[in-house]
Amino acid sequence: MLKMYDFAAIERKWQSRWERDRLYRTADAPETRKYYSMEMLPYPSGDLHVGHAKNYAFGDAVARMMRMLGYNVLHPMGWDAFGLPAENAAIDRGIDPAVWTTENILNMRRQIRLMGTSYDWSREIATCEPEFYRWNQWLFLRLFERGLAYKREAPVNWCPHDRTVLANEQVIDGRCWRCEHLVERRNLSQWFLRITAYADRLVADLDRLGGWPERTRTMQRNWIGRSEGVAVTFAVEGLDVPIEVFTTRADTIYGATFLAVAPEHRIVQSLRAIVSADRAVAIDRFVKELSSKSELERTSLMEKQGVFTGAYAIHPLSRERVPIWLGNYVLAEYGGGALMGVPAHDERDFDFATKHGIPIVQVILPESAAAATPFDKPFVEDGRLIASAEFSEMSSVRAREAIAARLAAMGAGEPRVTYKLRDWLISRQRYWGTPIPIVYCEACGEVAVPDEELPILLPPRERATGEGSPLGSICAFVNTTCPKCGGPARRETDTMDTFFESSWYFLRYLDPHNDRQPWDPQRAAQWMPVDQYIGGAEHAVLHLLYSRFFYKFFHDEGWVTGSDEPFERLFHQGLVLRDGDKMSKSRGNVVGIDETAERYGVDAMRLFLMYVTPPEETSNWTDAGISGRVRLLNRIWRACERHFDEKPTAGPMPAAETDAEKALLRAVHVVAKSAIDETMTPRFHYNTTIAKLDELVNLMTAAAPQPASPALRYGVQMLPILIAPFAPHIAEELWERLGNETSVHLQRYPEPDARALTVEEITLVVQVNGKVRARIPAPAGVGEEEALALALADPNVRAHIDGKELRKRIYVPDKLLNLVA
């Protein structure tokens, strides 16, 4: 070997040159084939490890492949920079969260650049910069004007540790998604976005997202939770105000033996006024006990609890008295906050009735049952009605229609569609977020801040304390004048949920320095939708759902055209573990990007992360695994370095003189075909491409001792292009040393040549009863009967079927013949 492969020097050299030459700047060229590829923007938490690197290395390989396939690729990067982690870290350190965030961005930008990524840094954004969050405020005002942003008092999820309100999606198993403290319920006046106005479109359009993982579409479908049913009105004895319940099972209405009402329901105080003093005290005690419980605790973690109010409703059809209970598993925000309890045909109602001694009346039987029989669990399927007046003997399907029609005719019910999805609560009682552009005037009420006064800037803070309302304690921020009347006013002191900015940032990349509008509609028409979006599956019902809502609103406003869905294709990458565990500082198993780049090199790290498993699967980091990729890179270097002085020129594929040359030429085009197929399908299983690259390098290494043939020189010239998307630094260095002056990343990826891929002879694997008994050379394209004849001619195959009957044969052309004897 003339020289060692000095990965550190080579990687520094090319990263510097790419920056100098602005190689990855993307032009807005409408006449070109566009490809918008992006990874979910990271939160600037401080330090990246190889688990983060997997996402960026894989996404970068996709972007590089598409460039080399002739597309004009937009591949931007930015920072989701507002939020609780920065504020909490600033509180712990007694500093301004802006300082902590800026330091982290500087370090993480350096690390992402260290990985040799091909981002267009001229489009970089940080959501904590006024240049960005000005447009958060502008978009909020447009939502406010359309009635899609509003304020109301509501029970909310309150994290006592972070001292802020959480959206329902941010409460996981009853705990805060950030700090994992138990969440409480409180009534506060909060800002909401009316995402429910788009519920029908959000659920219906999931069917159009064929490029999304099915599990993600299912999660969104379930979260939106569309239900068709009937709203039924129950009159209340002693009150003029009825109770409305929603049910999808009108066929079970004759089995309703109680009503259950949420403790927060507006009718509770009215009920309290018409019952005995003892019952009123019991109601008050129950309401107080549940006031601090989260929704998840009440619906999933606690046993079914309740208290009888002492009041009765009147069944709209049977006219029987129905006792009214308060139940902990009934939520004010779902289904109107009340339900009809049908314990014989609903599991939750059955548990509640069993615990509290409420009658259980069976009104649906399985179609095959002749009569009602004792049972120890509810029958929840459709069936045949009994004990249901004139609706008895009807099927559940027919009865639902008939009962709904009867209720509607009586004025006691109407068809209705409901959703589990509720409006998006965006108020946060924190400092480090976008100020909400609303002021409160005693004379004018809620007043929107005029566009020309945007952005409403966050006031500087020397240190964060985490106590109370951070903005509310800054008088210079709070006290202002009313834009309408000029009188004294107070600013809104809540800030926006950080998912607000991440729901539209992909549009700001298109026009990051526009000071007249959030983005140029012409640029949106050129680049949108995003062709490939890459990120974690944990965002299925958070960021991804909110982004779809925003984009549909933008489409309705005419700010974007074409599809009203923002992401054409979505890919979820898997985790990277160390010793079978998720990497974390507390476990002491974090593998850092800096240390890995220093020890093994960036190209080796990239190759390992793409090779160890398919990208959607969880992989395990091992020193042995990355050492294998180091060896591959050194073999690639040795395969090419003897040709540095020859400077082989690119040209058409030469003719092969020997079987070894045919195999080498075929291996070149097998790699090219694999890389292109994995990119365009898009499966992105570059692990198979890199495995085929191993085979190519083996053939080139085997050919090295012989005088260099045209086939070998061709392989040497193609090798840097083939590896460029995956190991960009060594590819660039080899390309230059082989006498080329322009960047390897500006070359077209090789088009697979059908002549080279043609195989004249294959190895046919023959199994007998599932066990391999022979490997037989056969002509490519051999038919099943000929393959069987070749197999039966093999002595080992004959020995294992001698005297037995061939019952079945399974033939996979050019690969496998399995004989079942």
Side-chain angles (χ1 to χ4, degrees):
M1 186 185 300
L2 300 176
K3 295 179 181 178
M4 296 294 292
Y5 166 48
D6 184 353
F7 63 79
I10 288 171
E11 289 169 0
R12 284 195 303 271
K13 166 186 171 181
W14 287 107
Q15 288 171 19
S16 175
R17 192 174 297 184
W18 295 334
E19 295 263 342
R20 182 199 71 190
D21 296 343
R22 300 179 177 181
L23 190 66
Y24 304 118
R25 288 281 182 97
T26 302
D28 294 302
E31 69 280 0
T32 60
R33 288 188 300 168
K34 71 96 176 178
Y35 189 81
Y36 188 0
S37 178
M38 54 183 282
E39 296 82 63
M40 292 181 184
L41 82 173
Y43 187 83
S45 55
D47 231 13
L48 296 174
H49 57 65
V50 295
H52 304 109
K54 176 179 180 178
N55 188 34
Y56 306 126
F58 156 58
D60 188 60
V62 173
R64 288 181 180 278
M65 274 297 305
M66 293 304 293
R67 280 194 201 94
M68 297 181 76
L69 290 172
Y71 287 81
N72 185 26
V73 174
L74 177 58
H75 191 212
M77 174 52 66
W79 312 98
D80 190 10
F82 271 143
L84 287 176
E87 188 159 354
N88 289 342
I91 291 168
D92 292 341
R93 293 162 176 78
I95 61 174
D96 187 332
V99 173
W100 189 83
T101 301
T102 300
E103 290 174 352
N104 288 345
I105 288 175
L106 289 172
N107 183 57
M108 290 173 61
R109 183 193 297 130
R110 176 192 61 79
Q111 288 183 307
I112 291 176
R113 280 176 157 158
L114 177 66
M115 292 171 54
T117 47
S118 60
Y119 294 114
D120 180 353
W121 289 101
S122 72
R123 297 174 184 262
E124 180 183 14
I125 60 173
T127 60
C128 64
E129 295 293 336
E131 183 184 31
F132 183 93
Y133 73 71
R134 166 191 180 181
W135 299 110
N136 278 350
Q137 295 169 342
W138 187 90
L139 291 170
F140 174 90
L141 293 175
R142 304 293 82 77
L143 289 159
F144 181 69
E145 291 168 357
R146 303 297 186 272
L148 294 173
Y150 65 96
K151 194 172 190 181
R152 67 176 172 88
E153 187 169 285
V156 297
N157 304 306
W158 175 263
C159 176
H161 177 268
D162 287 336
R163 298 169 65 86
T164 193
V165 171
L166 303 174
N168 296 303
E169 297 90 335
Q170 294 169 322
V171 180
I172 301 172
D173 295 335
R175 295 179 180 271
C176 173
W177 75 304
R178 289 287 197 189
C179 67
E180 298 186 354
H181 275 68
L182 282 171
V183 171
E184 300 173 355
R185 295 290 285 173
R186 292 188 181 181
N187 278 328
L188 293 175
S189 186
Q190 303 288 304
W191 283 97
F192 291 82
L193 298 185
R194 208 179 301 276
I195 190 174
T196 53
Y198 285 78
D200 267 328
R201 287 167 64 184
L202 287 168
V203 71
D205 291 349
L206 287 168
D207 293 335
R208 293 165 40 203
L209 300 179
W212 284 39
E214 180 55 38
R215 70 179 187 274
T216 301
R217 292 193 289 169
T218 298
M219 289 172 71
Q220 286 207 7
R221 205 172 274 117
N222 292 341
W223 186 264
I224 296 167
R226 187 180 191 275
S227 298
E228 294 184 9
V230 181
V232 184
T233 301
F234 285 76
V236 179
E237 286 185 348
L239 287 179
D240 294 331
V241 181
I243 295 176
E244 183 181 89
V245 302
F246 173 80
T247 179
T248 60
R249 293 295 305 272
D251 54 319
T252 67
I253 193 169
Y254 281 90
T257 57
F258 67 97
L259 296 187
V261 177
E264 305 88 355
H265 197 290
R266 60 186 177 277
I267 204 169
V268 171
Q269 289 305 312
S270 299
L271 295 175
R272 186 181 177 282
I274 63 171
V275 298
S276 68
D278 289 346
R279 288 291 90 206
V281 169
I283 290 172
D284 291 344
R285 185 185 306 117
F286 187 73
V287 170
K288 184 177 181 180
E289 286 174 356
L290 291 183
S291 63
S292 64
K293 301 300 182 184
S294 71
E295 290 186 2
L296 188 86
E297 287 180 285
R298 285 169 53 177
T299 57
S300 300
L301 305 180
M302 299 173 65
E303 65 176 343
K304 303 295 181 290
Q305 297 175 354
V307 61
F308 175 46
T309 65
Y312 289 86
I314 303 300
H315 194 290
L317 296 178
S318 70
R319 310 308 297 170
E320 294 179 356
R321 299 175 86 209
V322 181
I324 302 172
W325 286 69
L326 302 188
N328 66 339
Y329 68 107
V330 189
L331 302 175
E333 298 286 308
Y334 284 118
L339 59 82
M340 68 178 195
V342 186
H345 304 292
D346 181 273
E347 291 177 355
R348 292 182 309 167
D349 296 347
F350 181 84
D351 292 343
F352 189 84
T354 301
K355 178 179 175 63
H356 297 287
I358 299 173
I360 300 174
V361 176
Q362 192 173 15
V363 294
I364 306 286
L365 292 181
E367 292 286 358
S368 58
T373 57
F375 58 94
D376 57 4
K377 62 180 181 179
F379 176 67
V380 298
E381 306 298 329
D382 281 359
R384 175 172 53 85
L385 272 66
I386 62 170
S388 298
E390 67 267 37
F391 305 102
S392 296
E393 300 304 319
M394 285 187 184
S395 69
S396 287
V397 173
R398 183 183 169 201
R400 279 196 287 271
E401 295 178 358
I403 291 172
R406 174 66 59 83
L407 290 167
M410 296 170 57
E414 63 179 10
R416 186 172 295 174
V417 175
T418 67
Y419 301 89
K420 285 172 58 182
L421 178 71
R422 284 175 288 170
D423 285 341
W424 173 13
L425 190 159
I426 64 163
S427 285
R428 296 294 179 268
Q429 289 67 45
R430 298 310 294 248
Y431 167 76
W432 194 233
T434 299
I436 294 175
I438 295 289
V439 301
Y440 301 98
C441 171
E442 287 192 11
C444 305
E446 284 177 1
V447 181
V449 174
D451 289 354
E452 57 270 21
E453 293 184 17
L454 302 180
I456 304 302
L457 295 173
L458 277 176
R461 301 193 74 190
E462 292 184 4
R463 62 188 300 272
T465 64
E467 298 177 359
S469 171
L471 291 180
S473 64
I474 304 174
C475 294
F477 174 81
V478 174
N479 296 323
T480 186
T481 56
C482 175
K484 277 189 176 180
C485 70
R490 292 176 57 84
R491 291 196 188 280
E492 171 63 70
T493 57
D494 285 356
T495 53
M496 296 184 197
D497 179 9
T498 57
F499 281 105
F500 193 104
E501 49 256 28
S502 64
S503 297
W504 71 276
Y505 76 101
F506 43 88
L507 284 159
R508 188 62 178 171
Y509 279 143
L510 310 182
D511 208 4
H513 308 298
N514 191 331
D515 62 359
R516 300 179 308 281
Q517 52 192 344
W519 64 86
D520 182 342
Q522 290 187 342
R523 294 194 181 186
Q526 177 193 345
W527 287 108
M528 292 301 292
V530 175
D531 294 281
Q532 185 63 63
Y533 200 24
I534 299 169
E538 67 271 17
H539 295 293
V541 293
L542 289 165
H543 159 60
L544 292 169
L545 183 62
Y546 296 155
S547 296
R548 295 182 60 226
F549 161 47
F550 267 34
Y551 201 74
K552 290 180 185 299
F553 170 65
F554 301 159
H555 193 275
D556 291 350
E557 294 297 305
W559 304 335
V560 296
T561 56
S563 172
D564 64 354
E565 289 287 342
F567 311 122
E568 186 75 16
R569 288 185 295 276
L570 175 68
F571 193 95
H572 298 313
Q573 83 283 357
L575 298 174
V576 179
L577 309 179
R578 178 74 185 276
D579 303 323
D581 289 321
K582 190 174 180 179
M583 292 186 192
S584 70
K585 292 180 180 178
S586 61
R587 294 190 180 98
N589 66 344
V590 172
V591 181
I593 287 177
D594 289 301
E595 63 187 81
T596 304
E598 182 179 352
R599 182 176 179 186
Y600 299 107
V602 169
D603 284 343
M605 176 174 65
R606 290 171 59 113
L607 282 176
F608 173 74
L609 291 169
M610 285 183 272
Y611 172 73
V612 63
T613 59
E616 71 274 17
E617 294 182 9
T618 296
S619 54
N620 197 50
W621 180 272
T622 65
D623 292 339
I626 192 170
S627 295
R629 297 304 90 194
V630 171
R631 289 192 294 274
L632 171 62
L633 289 169
N634 279 310
R635 288 192 299 121
I636 289 172
W637 184 267
R638 289 196 296 271
C640 294
E641 72 167 349
R642 62 178 288 199
H643 303 278
F644 288 164
D645 294 333
E646 299 174 8
K647 307 245 185 303
T649 57
M653 183 180 69
E657 301 295 333
T658 65
D659 289 344
E661 290 179 12
K662 287 180 183 178
L664 194 154
L665 293 176
R666 182 174 187 276
V668 167
H669 289 274
V670 164
V671 173
K673 185 176 188 305
S674 173
I676 293 173
D677 287 350
E678 294 300 337
T679 302
M680 301 306 292
T681 41
R683 289 195 323 161
F684 303 133
H685 285 190
Y686 293 135
N687 55 307
T688 62
T689 304
I690 295 170
K692 295 179 189 305
L693 182 64
D694 273 316
E695 297 170 7
L696 169 61
V697 176
N698 287 340
L699 292 172
M700 293 177 68
T701 301
Q706 310 300 322
S709 66
L712 179 58
R713 290 193 180 96
Y714 177 78
V716 168
Q717 187 65 28
M718 290 294 106
L719 188 55
I721 303 177
L722 293 173
I723 66 172
F726 316 112
H729 306 88
I730 191 173
E732 195 80 277
E733 183 70 15
L734 292 174
W735 187 248
E736 182 184 61
R737 295 204 182 201
L738 290 170
N740 300 286
E741 295 181 357
T742 57
S743 171
V744 71
H745 301 293
L746 299 178
Q747 309 308 306
R748 288 298 293 264
Y749 209 74
E751 191 70 30
D753 192 310
R755 295 170 301 161
L757 294 171
T758 300
V759 178
E760 296 178 359
E761 184 177 272
I762 55 96
T763 298
L764 182 68
V765 176
V766 181
Q767 294 180 336
V768 178
N769 294 335
K771 294 185 178 181
V772 176
R773 298 304 182 189
R775 300 178 189 275
I776 302 170
V782 62
E784 184 175 345
E785 295 302 326
E786 186 180 355
L788 177 62
L790 289 170
L792 295 177
D794 183 89
N796 196 40
V797 173
R798 285 203 309 273
H800 282 88
I801 62 173
D802 190 34
K804 300 175 183 176
E805 177 188 356
L806 275 180
R807 294 185 176 180
K808 186 178 180 181
R809 63 194 190 204
I810 302 169
Y811 182 56
V812 180
D814 284 351
K815 292 184 178 180
L816 173 73
L817 177 64
N818 186 14
L819 304 176
V820 181

